[in-house]
C-alpha cells in the first residue's frame, strides 16, 4: 500500500468520493483482497482513534466516577468487618496490655519467624508442566524444603527462570543454608525480573535470621516504595529502630 | 445488530456507557462482591480485586462506546468470567512471563463464552493499537489526537497553523503508517478470532 491508497481510503470514509469513483473503488476492493484488507484495518484504526480521542473527556469522567464509587463500596465493605462496640475495645485493650506485659520484654529484637511468610508456588498452572515441577511445588508448598531443594536443582539445569531461582533460594533460606541462599538472592537482585525486590527482601530476612540487624536494615532501605510487600518492610524497619 | 436479540441486562452496558452512577452502584452491589470473593480465594486481596473490577468496567465502557457491545447473555455470568480470566492472566503474568491463558472457557453457557471472547479480543486489539500509536512520531500523534478531538479538520489546521490540505493529507498518512504496522504485526502473529 502506498500514500495514494491511504488518501483514497480517507476520502471514501469521509464520503467525499463522487458516485463514479466510489463504485470503482468498491469494485477494486472486490477484486483485490489485499486492498480490502488494508482498507478494513485502516477503517478500524480510524474508529479506534475516534473512540479514543473523541470521547477522551467522557472516558476521564467515567474513570474518576468509577474510582469514587469503588472506594465507597470498598470502605463499606471494610467497615462492616470492624463494627466494634466500645465494650469490645476495652476488652481488646486489656488483652493487648496483658500480652504486652507477658511478652514484650522477652522479645525486643524482631525475629525471623514473624516475617517469614513464604508464598505458595504455582508452577503447574502453566499446564504441561513436567513431573519434577509438580513434585517441587508439592514439596515446597508442604514446607518440605529439604526435599524441594534437590528437585529445584534438577529443574534449574534446564529452566533457569527467575521464578524457580527465587523459590530455590527461599527453600535454602528455610533450611539455614545462608551462604547458598544469599548467592541465589544476590544474583536475582542484580537482575531485572519481577523477583528483584522479593530477592532483596529475602536477603534482608536472611540477615535477620542470622541476627545481623545492621545489614538487614541496610538492605531494607534499598527496597523501592512501590514494592508490593512494603508494609512488611516498613513494619520490620520500625521494629529494628 | 438486531434489537430483538438484546438481553435485558443490556441496561448495565448502556448505563456504563452513559456513566450512570446509579447503574455503577448497582453493579458494585450486585456483582462485584462475588468477584472480590473469588480473587481473595485465589491468592489475591481486596485491593487487587478492586483493580481487576475497575479494569474490566473500563474495558466495557470502551467497548460500549465503540458500539461493539450488545449483550446476548446475563451480565452476571459475563462480568464474572471476564474478571476471573483477567485475574488468572494477571497471576500467570507474575509467575511466568510470556504465557497467556488458555482459551478454554469454563462457563456452561455458550453465549457467555462468546461474549467474553469478543471482549477479550476487543481488549487485545485496543492494546495493540495503543502500542502502535505510541510508536508514531510526536507530530503524527498530536495531529491525530486533534483530528478526532476537534469537530472539524479546519479547526485542526488553524490550531496547528498549517493549511487544511496539509492536515487532511497528513492525517491519512499517519493512519496509513499505523495500518502498515498493524498489517505487518498481524502477519507475524495473527490475532485469534477475527
Amino acid at each position: 500500500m502506498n500514500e495514494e491508497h491511504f488518501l483514497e481510503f480517507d476520502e471514501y470514509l469521509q464520503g467525499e468520493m463522487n458516485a463514479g469513483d466510489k463504485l470503482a473503488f468498491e469494485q477494486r476492493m472486490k477484486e483485490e483482497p489485499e486492498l480490502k484488507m488494508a482498507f478494513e484495518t485502516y477503517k478500524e484504526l480510524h474508529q479506534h482513534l475516534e473512540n479514543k480521542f473523541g470521547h477522551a473527556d467522557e472516558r476521564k469522567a467515567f474513570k474518576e466516577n468509577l474510582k469514587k464509587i469503588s472506594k465507597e463500596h470498598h470502605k463499606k465493605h471494610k467497615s462492616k468487618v470492624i463494627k466494634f462496640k466500645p465494650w469490645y475495645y476495652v476488652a481488646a485493650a486489656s488483652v493487648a496490655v496483658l500480652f504486652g506485659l507477658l511478652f514484650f520484654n522477652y522479645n525486643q529484637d524482631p525475629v525471623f519467624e514473624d516475617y517469614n511468610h513464604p508464598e505458595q508456588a504455582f508452577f503447574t498452572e502453566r499446564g504441561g508442566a513436567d513431573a519434577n515441577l509438580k513434585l517441587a511445588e508439592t514439596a515446597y508448598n508442604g514446607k518440605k524444603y529439604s526435599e524441594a531443594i534437590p528437585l529445584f536443582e534438577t529443574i534449574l539445569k534446564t529452566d533457569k527462570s527467575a521464578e524457580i531461582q527465587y523459590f530455590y533460594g527461599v527453600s535454602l533460606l528455610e533450611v539455614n543454608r545462608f551462604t547458598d541462599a544469599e548467592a541465589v538472592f544476590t544474583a536475582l537482585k542484580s537482575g531485572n525480573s519481577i523477583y528483584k525486590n522479593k530477592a532483596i527482601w529475602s536477603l534482608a530476612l536472611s540477615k535477620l535470621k542470622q541476627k545481623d540487624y545492621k545489614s538487614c536494615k541496610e538492605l531494607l532501605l534499598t527496597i523501592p516504595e512501590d514494592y508490593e510487600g512494603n508494609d512488611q518492610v516498613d513494619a520490620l524497619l520500625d521494629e529494628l529502630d | 445488530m438486531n434489537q430483538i436479540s438484546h438481553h435485558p441486562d443490556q441496561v448495565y452496558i448502556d448505563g456504563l456507557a452513559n456513566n450512570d452512577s446509579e447503574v455503577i452502584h448497582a453493579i458494585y452491589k450486585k456483582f462485584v462482591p462475588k468477584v472480590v470473593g473469588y480473587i481473595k480465594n485465589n491468592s489475591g486481596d481486596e485491593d487487587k480485586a478492586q483493580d481487576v473490577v475497575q479494569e474490566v468496567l473500563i474495558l466495557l465502557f470502551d467497548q460500549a462506546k465503540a458500539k461493539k457491545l450488545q449483550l446476548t447473555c446475563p451480565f452476571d455470568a459475563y462480568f464474572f468470567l471476564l474478571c476471573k480470566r483477567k485475574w488468572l492472566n494477571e497471576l500467570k503474568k507474575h509467575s511466568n512471563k510470556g504465557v497467556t491463558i488458555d482459551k478454554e472457557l469454563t462457563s456452561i453457557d455458550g453465549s457467555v463464552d462468546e461474549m467474553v471472547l469478543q471482549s477479550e479480543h476487543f481488549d487485545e486489539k485496543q492494546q495493540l493499537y495503543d502500542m502502535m500509536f505510541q510508536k508514531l512520531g510526536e507530530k503524527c500523534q498530536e495531529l491525530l489526537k486533534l483530528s478526532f478531538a476537534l469537530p472539524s479538520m479546519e479547526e485542526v489546521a488553524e490550531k496547528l497553523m498549517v493549511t487544511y490540505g496539509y492536515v487532511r493529507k497528513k492525517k491519512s498518512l499517519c493512519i496509513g503508517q499505523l495500518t502498515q504496522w498493524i498489517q505487518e504485526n498481524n502477519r507475524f502473529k495473527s490475532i485469534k478470532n477475527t
Side-chain angles (χ1 to χ4, degrees):
Chain A
M1 296 298 121
N2 57 34
E3 295 194 358
E4 295 296 307
H5 290 117
F6 299 133
L7 294 173
E8 205 175 25
F9 291 169
D10 201 56
E11 243 177 80
Y12 181 83
L13 281 178
Q14 302 298 325
E16 289 169 348
M17 276 186 182
N18 64 43
D21 287 350
K22 198 173 155 218
L23 273 178
F25 178 71
E26 283 165 358
Q27 187 56 37
R28 269 171 51 220
M29 282 212 284
K30 275 186 200 147
E31 289 158 6
E32 301 169 41
E34 201 136 314
L35 180 74
K36 186 169 164 54
M37 250 172 55
F39 174 71
E40 291 299 332
T41 305
Y42 186 97
K43 196 170 121 190
E44 262 204 49
L45 278 162
H46 201 277
Q47 279 175 353
H48 171 74
L49 294 168
E50 209 170 358
N51 197 32
K52 190 177 169 74
F53 298 123
H55 306 299
D57 293 338
E58 276 177 79
R59 191 175 194 267
K60 210 175 137 214
F62 174 75
K63 275 173 95 168
E64 276 162 15
N65 196 21
L66 197 57
K67 220 182 231 165
K68 206 183 88 213
I69 294 177
S70 165
K71 237 184 224 155
E72 280 171 35
H73 283 263
H74 198 36
K75 242 191 254 150
K76 234 186 260 164
H77 190 81
K78 273 193 174 162
S79 62
K80 224 184 273 167
V81 186
I82 39 171
K83 216 180 256 164
F84 259 123
K85 288 181 180 144
W87 166 247
Y88 291 136
Y89 277 116
V90 179
S94 3
V95 172
V97 168
L98 205 64
F99 266 93
L101 285 176
L102 277 173
F103 297 110
F104 186 72
N105 284 326
Y106 300 115
N107 256 332
Q108 277 195 333
D109 287 321
V111 284
F112 173 74
E113 282 67 28
D114 288 347
Y115 293 92
N116 179 32
H117 310 298
E119 62 189 290
Q120 295 274 304
F122 294 103
F123 307 131
T124 45
E125 270 201 17
R126 299 171 188 174
D130 68 60
N132 276 332
L133 264 181
K134 180 76 201 141
L135 286 172
E137 182 189 292
T138 315
Y140 176 88
N141 288 338
K143 301 193 189 299
K144 293 175 187 149
Y145 300 110
S146 38
E147 274 176 39
I149 288 170
L151 290 164
F152 281 130
E153 280 163 358
T154 318
I155 297 165
L156 280 168
K157 279 179 197 148
T158 49
D159 175 3
K160 286 202 172 30
S161 70
E163 183 189 18
I164 302 294
Q165 288 183 50
Y166 170 74
F167 285 104
Y168 175 52
V170 173
S171 307
L172 291 168
L173 173 59
E174 293 291 337
V175 298
N176 295 337
R177 282 171 60 184
F178 297 117
T179 331
D180 295 335
E182 286 178 13
V184 172
F185 293 133
T186 309
L188 282 170
K189 181 181 162 220
S190 51
N192 251 327
S193 71
I194 53 163
Y195 290 96
K196 186 184 170 80
N197 291 330
K198 283 188 181 179
I200 308 178
W201 167 247
S202 304
L203 269 178
L205 283 186
S206 172
K207 297 297 181 200
L208 177 65
K209 207 172 181 184
Q210 297 168 78
K211 304 205 189 313
D212 179 355
Y213 301 116
K214 191 166 164 275
S215 312
C216 176
K217 189 173 169 186
E218 278 165 8
L219 281 160
L220 291 173
L221 290 173
T222 65
I223 299 179
E225 278 294 313
D226 58 357
Y227 171 57
E228 55 193 60
N230 216 14
D231 13 327
Q232 286 273 297
V233 176
D234 290 342
L236 181 50
L237 273 172
D238 276 351
E239 268 204 85
L240 284 168
D241 277 332
Chain B
M1 216 181 263
N2 204 333
Q3 202 70 27
I4 306 159
S5 66
H6 286 185
H7 194 279
D9 284 356
Q10 180 74 22
V11 289
Y12 293 113
I13 305 296
D14 297 342
L16 287 172
N18 295 325
N19 193 7
D20 181 335
S21 295
E22 222 171 283
V23 169
I24 303 175
H25 270 296
I27 292 176
Y28 268 90
K29 216 169 152 184
K30 284 200 220 170
F31 310 119
V32 170
K34 189 169 150 193
V35 174
V36 174
Y38 174 82
I39 292 180
K40 278 165 107 176
N41 276 328
N42 286 277
S43 341
D45 56 29
E46 177 90 30
D47 285 338
K48 284 185 180 137
Q50 292 295 344
D51 288 348
V52 168
V53 166
Q54 283 188 37
E55 271 172 47
V56 167
L57 291 176
I58 291 169
L59 167 65
L60 298 188
F61 173 86
D62 286 339
Q63 205 185 344
K65 277 285 178 207
K67 309 241 179 322
K68 284 180 179 163
L69 186 47
Q70 311 290 345
L71 210 58
T72 56
C73 64
F75 183 80
D76 190 5
Y78 165 64
F79 177 67
F80 179 72
L81 193 56
L82 263 181
C83 291
K84 176 179 161 183
R85 283 165 61 84
K86 197 163 203 96
W87 173 242
L88 291 180
N89 222 347
E90 196 82 359
L91 278 182
K92 298 217 168 166
K93 237 194 283 168
H94 287 280
S95 62
N96 188 27
K97 356 167 195 126
V99 175
T100 45
I101 56 172
D102 47 291
K103 293 287 176 199
E104 238 173 77
L105 290 161
T106 37
S107 93
I108 355 142
D109 186 342
S111 68
V112 177
D113 294 354
E114 202 190 305
M115 292 284 333
V116 167
L117 284 181
Q118 267 179 28
S119 293
E120 287 179 350
H121 187 218
F122 179 84
D123 196 13
E124 277 171 40
K125 270 195 176 170
Q126 288 224 115
Q127 286 178 19
L128 175 67
Y129 293 168
D130 285 344
M131 198 175 79
M132 293 299 173
F133 182 81
Q134 293 305 323
K135 272 173 66 179
L136 284 175
E138 236 171 83
K139 282 223 169 104
C140 262
Q141 290 197 12
E142 193 190 3
L143 188 134
L144 286 180
K145 263 184 212 168
L146 290 175
S147 302
F148 291 99
L150 296 180
S152 74
M153 291 305 281
E154 281 85 355
E155 282 165 74
V156 179
E158 204 177 302
K159 178 126 194 181
L160 294 175
M161 292 187 294
V162 288
T163 64
Y164 171 77
Y166 174 81
V167 284
R168 277 299 302 270
K169 185 174 174 192
K170 189 83 181 154
K171 174 192 160 201
S172 49
L173 296 186
C174 292
I175 304 181
Q177 174 68 75
L178 286 173
T179 307
Q180 271 169 340
W181 285 336
I182 300 287
Q183 288 199 299
E184 277 162 31
N185 185 79
N186 286 357
R187 248 170 259 141
F188 237 75
K189 54 166 196 205
S190 63
I191 295 184
K192 271 188 176 170
N193 316 307
T194 1

